[in-house]
Amino acid sequence: MTEEPGADAPELPGLRASIEAILLVVDEPVTVMTLAQLLERPRDEVAGALRELAAEYTEQGRGFDLREVAGGWRFYTRDVCAPVVERFVTDGQQARLTQAALETLAVVAYRQPVSRARVSAIRGVNSDGVMRTLTLRGLIEDAGQDPESQAHLYRTTGYFLERLGLRDLDELPELAPYLPDDLPDDIVDG
């Protein structure tokens, strides 16, 4: 008995499933030509499948649309769902950081890892509440304990870098030009 070549190979998904999978991960519209080449199918077949999928989603009242825009196809949130999506995306994000939070975040960013007590000493006010808020918002996180004082240390997070559009902390601007001339040396030097 001879085995057929590829008998143990996993079965590939169908055309429609493949199109959906690709469209779920794109960040800009994909052309029919690109999909046809990638899926090794005729352009007309891919274009037909896209139109059928778009019609099905509309008929079924799905929360998303498949639209042809800018020369390609992409998923979009259905217009009637926009208020719900907006509420989800902006929940907790609309509240801007207070001046105290910005100051505290700057101290952590430039002094990390740093304890709450050190942040409070630099700012001249108790920063415990602000530190909790920044932690809850995912901008700072626990960085272990100081071996000498056993104080909890804090550092900025990857989310902090993402929100500021930085690759790493080395991209933070130099702080010295913005400091007043009369600051005590222990605050400037660390």
Side-chain angles (χ1 to χ4, degrees):
M1 183 165 130
T2 59
E3 282 189 36
E4 291 182 34
D8 291 334
E11 188 175 318
L12 294 175
L15 176 62
R16 292 161 55 105
S18 296
I19 289 171
E20 288 173 328
I22 292 167
L23 292 176
L24 277 173
V25 298
V26 300
D27 55 359
E28 55 187 50
V30 179
T31 66
V32 172
M33 177 64 85
T34 300
L35 288 169
Q37 288 173 344
L38 181 68
L39 300 172
E40 300 175 342
R41 300 296 266 278
R43 281 179 49 176
D44 292 345
E45 186 180 355
V46 171
L50 285 162
R51 286 190 299 276
E52 287 172 11
L53 286 168
E56 270 182 41
Y57 300 148
T58 299
E59 183 181 310
Q60 294 170 357
R62 299 279 184 105
F64 58 90
D65 258 335
L66 177 56
R67 297 185 205 153
E68 186 175 14
V69 293
W73 290 80
R74 183 174 177 195
F75 285 124
Y76 288 89
T77 303
R78 193 165 299 281
D79 294 343
V80 297
C81 297
V84 175
V85 172
E86 181 179 1
R87 210 170 33 246
F88 172 76
V89 171
T90 60
D91 186 34
Q93 300 302 313
Q94 283 190 356
R96 296 186 178 271
L97 293 176
T98 63
Q99 184 66 32
L102 290 171
E103 290 171 7
T104 302
L105 190 54
V107 171
V108 174
Y110 282 96
R111 296 300 181 125
Q112 61 188 308
V114 64
S115 68
R116 285 182 190 214
R118 183 72 178 140
V119 171
S120 294
I122 291 170
R123 289 194 59 233
V125 295
N126 185 317
S127 299
D128 290 355
V130 178
M131 296 282 287
R132 275 192 297 278
T133 299
L134 293 172
T135 302
L136 287 172
R137 290 183 106 179
L139 295 167
I140 64 173
E141 64 187 0
D142 191 307
Q145 287 187 314
D146 183 331
E148 291 178 21
S149 69
Q150 300 303 308
H152 284 279
L153 299 175
Y154 293 86
R155 65 178 169 227
T156 55
T157 63
Y159 180 65
F160 165 82
L161 293 173
E162 181 184 325
R163 296 295 295 178
L164 266 65
L166 304 173
R167 282 190 301 270
D168 56 47
L169 293 171
D170 293 336
E171 290 187 345
L172 284 172
E174 281 295 317
L175 189 57
Y178 303 103
L179 295 175
D181 295 332
D182 60 345
L183 278 178
D185 286 340
D186 69 322
I187 290 180
V188 176
D189 296 334

